[in-house]
Amino acid sequence: MNQQLSLIEMFSKKHDGNTNNKAARPYHLGLILVSVALFTIGFVIVTSASMPIAERLHDNPYYFSIRHAIYISIAVVAAIITLSLPMAFWRFSNPYLLLLALALLVLVLLIGRNVNGSTRWLVIGPITVQAAEPAKLFFFLYLAGYLVRRYEQVKENLKGFFKPLLVFFLFAGLLLLQPDLGTVIVMFATTIALLFLAGARLWQFFAIIFTGLAAFVVLIIYSDYRRKRITGFWDPFADPFGSGYQLTQSLMAYGRGSWLGQGLGNSLQKLEFLPEAHTDFIMAILAEELGYIGVLIVLLLVFYVILTALKLGNLALSNHRPFEAFTSYAIGLWFCLQTFVNIGASTGLLPTKGLTLPLISYGGSSMIIMSVAMAILIRIDFEMRIHGIQALSGNKSARKKSSKKTTKKPSVRESKAEESSLG
């Protein structure tokens, strides 16, 4: 009677019983450790950066720190739940999740909370949800599913290429009404990159890029506050107490940090000189306190996530799992672009945009959705490892059956016939 093997035993048997082999683990340990590292760094820096403003607004220096710890706890629970969901669930449900994302974006425009001139948050009792965060994830899942269902159409004709772009333009219109141009830029770049990876023709690829750039230029020209951001970005020190104030304070933080930083907790810019120090400009405070070495460590951790996501995408394609492949690519590109926009804004490489630093900045919606995205990556890797185990066990059982047939004990008649032939 065959004994049922546990998952760990199956992996150890696959790898010659070597339980210390990293490939013998059922989950991608690297992604888990990097996620924990980013959570930890984020919690420490958010605590340090938010203490002055928390003391002034709430008479409790740990107000934002406590909330951030709660967000991390919720994010971990959400990630664990996501790990239990098979990828088949996302393949089946992504059109319905797309409709949910659209409903959230419409709802936030109708009854959302307005903060600093932007209407981006839905208030549900004690919970505040930024509708753009789940919208990004659900749109990318839909796009991955579309590229699998309409792969030939995307490659061969314009109709298949432009269908997902029409959905994107609908999302972009709703996001620009909030307004949230930063999210639109990240979604646009990720969409174009995925269409390119799916095999869209080069002229289509470049045509939509130029169209998108022209649209962004028009949006900047016909918006006063966006024009001010651009002029402040070009020369922030021309108006250091006006349009260039936030960027000049951020650059001062980077300059004070130098290589090794001023030491944890010793930032001056967090003393309410730098607005949004614990959210959009968290990297500036990290640079001031931990120096360029600290920034480099964070960048290497994020780069590991991006590289792993792209490798998982390639592996999924080779294993004939296109939905998992496109989902991995989308998450990797999303992490890359959002990190680039966030750090680019705080260093003066890009105009100021209200995007969080993945898994580090203060913000519950972003933290939870990014954790779910990380869990999806881990689940993709897990299913491919399980698929390898099942294929291995299937091959072993097939070999056993064939060996039983070949080593079958000969009958008496066969033995006598063999003896007579030998005689």
Side-chain angles (χ1 to χ4, degrees), residues 116-167:
N116 296 330
S118 298
T119 307
R120 303 179 185 177
W121 294 268
L122 283 171
V123 180
I124 307 171
I127 302 172
T128 303
V129 178
Q130 189 172 355
E133 295 300 331
K136 281 185 282 189
L137 176 61
F138 295 161
F139 175 76
F140 294 146
L141 288 169
Y142 162 78
L143 188 58
Y146 177 86
L147 292 176
V148 173
R149 294 189 299 269
R150 300 287 186 266
Y151 180 73
E152 293 300 327
Q153 292 183 19
V154 171
K155 290 183 65 177
E156 299 299 331
N157 59 61
L158 283 174
K159 185 179 179 181
F161 178 78
F162 279 108
K163 271 186 178 179
L165 290 177
L166 292 175
V167 178

Side-chain angles (χ1 to χ4, degrees), residues 152-396:
E152 293 300 327
Q153 292 183 19
V154 171
K155 290 183 65 177
E156 299 299 331
N157 59 61
L158 283 174
K159 185 179 179 181
F161 178 78
F162 279 108
K163 271 186 178 179
L165 290 177
L166 292 175
V167 178
F168 164 75
F169 290 140
L170 178 59
F171 270 73
L174 293 172
L175 287 165
L176 289 173
L177 290 174
Q178 295 184 5
D180 189 356
L181 183 60
T183 296
V184 174
I185 292 173
V186 170
M187 290 178 65
F188 176 75
T190 305
T191 301
I192 295 304
L194 276 182
L195 289 171
F196 179 73
L197 289 173
R201 296 176 181 178
L202 279 178
W203 72 267
Q204 297 171 339
F205 177 71
F206 286 113
I208 196 63
I209 285 180
F210 290 134
T211 303
L213 290 175
F216 290 135
V217 170
V218 171
L219 287 171
I220 291 168
I221 291 174
Y222 289 96
S223 174
D224 289 336
Y225 85 93
R226 290 193 184 109
R227 281 203 309 274
K228 289 180 180 178
R229 284 189 175 184
I230 293 296
T231 55
F233 156 70
W234 282 337
D235 189 5
F237 291 97
D239 187 12
F241 298 103
S243 60
Y245 177 77
Q246 200 167 22
L247 181 54
T248 55
Q249 297 301 317
S250 178
L251 293 175
M252 289 178 189
Y254 277 99
R256 290 191 75 248
S258 189
W259 286 100
L260 299 178
Q262 298 294 319
L264 189 63
N266 292 329
S267 167
L268 290 181
Q269 296 306 116
K270 71 181 183 183
L271 302 177
E272 300 195 59
F273 291 106
L274 176 61
E276 309 296 337
H278 60 296
T279 54
D280 301 341
F281 282 78
I282 189 71
M283 184 57 85
I285 302 302
L286 188 148
E288 186 179 6
E289 296 190 349
L290 302 182
Y292 293 133
I293 299 300
V295 174
L296 180 62
I297 291 172
V298 171
L299 290 178
L300 288 175
L301 292 172
V302 175
F303 179 74
Y304 178 85
V305 174
I306 297 165
L307 187 63
T308 302
L310 297 180
K311 284 184 176 180
L312 281 177
N314 291 337
L315 185 59
L317 275 182
S318 64
N319 287 331
H320 308 290
R321 291 171 172 259
F323 176 77
E324 287 82 351
F326 288 125
T327 301
S328 296
Y329 289 144
I331 293 173
L333 291 166
W334 175 18
F335 267 72
C336 176
L337 291 166
Q338 186 149 329
T339 301
F340 175 70
V341 171
N342 177 276
I343 298 178
S346 67
T347 56
L349 292 175
L350 297 171
T352 303
K353 288 283 145 234
L355 287 178
T356 59
L357 188 61
L359 301 180
I360 292 181
S361 294
Y362 176 82
S365 299
S366 175
M367 181 74 66
I368 294 168
I369 295 299
M370 286 293 185
S371 299
V372 168
M374 289 291 291
I376 290 174
L377 284 181
I378 297 171
R379 178 72 197 195
I380 291 171
D381 175 78
F382 171 76
E383 288 194 6
M384 286 192 292
R385 295 181 189 222
I386 291 297
H387 178 75
I389 291 297
Q390 290 171 345
L392 184 70
S393 60
N395 291 336
K396 284 184 177 180

